Amino acid sequence: MTIVEVLKLSADYLQKHGSDSSRLDAELLLAHTLRMRRLDLYLKFDRSLSEAELSAYRGLVGRRAKGDPVAYLVGHKEFMGLDFEVTAAVLVPNPDTEVLVQRAVAIARESAGAFRVADIGTGSGCIAIAIAHYAPSTEVWATDVSGEALAVAGRNIAKHGLSARIHLERGDLMQPLAGKFDLVCANLPYVAAGTALPAEVTAQPAGALYAESGGAAVIDRFLDEAPARLGPGGRVLAELDPSVVQAVSQSAERNFAGHRVHRDINGRERVLEAWF
Ligand code: SAH
C-alpha cells in the first residue's frame, strides 16, 4: 500500500471511531511513523510502506481509535507556533489557551522595562514558554503540584532556550513563589466531576482537569490568593469555561476592583482578566 492509500483508509477508520479531525490525525501519525514532516507525505504520496512500517502505523491508529490523544502518541504538540514535548503526565496544550497567551503577550509588550510574570499550573510549560518567547522583556515563574509535569516543563524550557528567564517551583498555587508580579496567569482545572467528556480528554491527567464546587474550586482559591501577590498595576488572567464563568466572576467581584471576560474565536467565554 502507498502513503495516499493508507491515509485514505485510516482517516475513514478514525472518523468512524469518533475522531473529528480524522484526516489530520492520520497524517500526523503516519508522518511520525515514517519520520517525515507532514507536508512531505504529499511529496511522496506514491511511496509504498514496508510491512514493519504498516504494522507500527496500525498500532498507533488503533490506540487513537480507542481515544489516546494524537499528541501522546507522537510525543509532541504545536502551540502558538512553537513545538512542545508532551507526555501523559501533562495536559495537551490546547488552541483554546492561545486566547490567554495572546492577551498576556499584549499586556507585557505594552509595559516598558522588566516584567514579572507568574504561570500557575504550568503543565507542559506552554503558557510560560510562549509568553517568554513572544515577550522578551518578561521573566516568568511557573508552578505546578505535579513533579512529573514539572519535569516535562523543564525539558520544554531548555529546548526553547529559555532556562535563564523561566523558573519552575513545585507547590500549591502561588505558595512556592516569592515577591510580587506584574501579571499572574493560570490555566487551572475547571471541569465539574461527572461531566461527560470525549475519551481523548479523559485520557489526560485527572489533576489537570477536575475541580470541586462544579469546577470552580481551584480558580476560586487562586483568585482569593492572587491580589496579595500583584504589584502596582498588576493583572490576573485565568482561563475558564462558560460552565464556571458565573462562579468565577463572583470571586473576581469579591477580590478585585474590576474584571472582564474575553471570548474565544467561537464566541465562548474563555479568559477572565482582573485588576485593581
Ligand atoms: N498550563 C498548562 C496546563 C494546564 S492543566 C496548559 O495550559 O496547557 C492544569 C495544571 O494545573 C496541571 O498541570 C495540574 O497539575 C496543575 N494544578 C492543579 N491544581 C493545582 C494547584 N492547586 N496548584 C498548582 N498547580 C495545580
Side-chain angles (χ1 to χ4, degrees), residues 7 23-32 38 41-42 57:
L7 278 178
R23 179 75 193 190
L24 176 62
D25 293 357
E27 290 176 3
L28 289 168
L29 294 175
L30 188 57
H32 176 75
R38 181 158 70 94
L41 296 172
Y42 289 92
Y57 181 60

Side-chain angles (χ1 to χ4, degrees), residues 33-78:
T33 306
L34 301 180
R35 295 190 178 80
M36 285 182 181
R37 290 176 310 164
R38 181 158 70 94
L39 292 178
D40 290 339
L41 296 172
Y42 289 92
L43 301 175
K44 305 204 170 145
F45 64 91
D46 57 356
R47 169 188 182 295
S48 50
L49 274 72
S50 71
E51 263 318 308
E53 287 168 344
L54 260 182
S55 141
Y57 181 60
R58 265 197 220 103
L60 291 176
V61 170
R63 285 171 63 190
R64 175 68 195 121
K66 291 204 185 80
D68 283 4
V70 171
Y72 289 168
L73 297 174
V74 302
H76 60 105
K77 167 85 184 189
E78 190 265 1

Side-chain angles (χ1 to χ4, degrees), residues 139-158:
E139 184 162 4
V140 187
W141 285 261
T143 72
D144 208 292
V145 282
S146 161
E148 278 184 285
L150 288 171
V152 176
R155 290 197 294 274
N156 278 319
I157 291 166

Side-chain angles (χ1 to χ4, degrees), residues 102-118:
Q102 277 162 358
R103 182 68 192 130
V105 170
I107 293 172
R109 285 185 180 166
E110 274 166 21
S111 103
F115 197 79
R116 284 171 57 95
V117 179

Side-chain angles (χ1 to χ4, degrees), residues 93-232:
N94 191 312
D96 293 337
T97 304
E98 299 192 352
V99 180
L100 183 154
V101 173
Q102 277 162 358
R103 182 68 192 130
V105 170
I107 293 172
R109 285 185 180 166
E110 274 166 21
S111 103
F115 197 79
R116 284 171 57 95
V117 179
D119 172 26
I120 309 307
T122 197
S124 63
C126 62
I127 293 177
I129 289 165
I131 293 173
H133 177 87
Y134 290 109
S137 64
T138 52
E139 184 162 4
V140 187
W141 285 261
T143 72
D144 208 292
V145 282
S146 161
E148 278 184 285
L150 288 171
V152 176
R155 290 197 294 274
N156 278 319
I157 291 166
K159 167 174 148 163
H160 288 95
L162 290 166
S163 304
R165 282 202 291 126
I166 306 180
H167 318 285
L168 293 176
E169 301 288 348
R170 183 172 182 183
D172 183 51
L173 299 178
M174 303 198 66
Q175 212 192 311
L177 301 183
K180 305 239 179 192
F181 297 88
D182 300 301
L183 180 63
V184 181
C185 300
N187 180 17
L188 288 160
Y190 51 71
V191 179
T195 307
L197 295 168
E200 69 181 69
V201 178
T202 56
Q204 302 185 43
L209 297 174
Y210 299 104
E212 311 273 303
S213 312
V218 182
I219 302 183
D220 268 0
R221 214 155 51 72
F222 164 70
L223 292 175
D224 288 342
E225 262 184 31
R229 313 304 299 279
L230 292 179

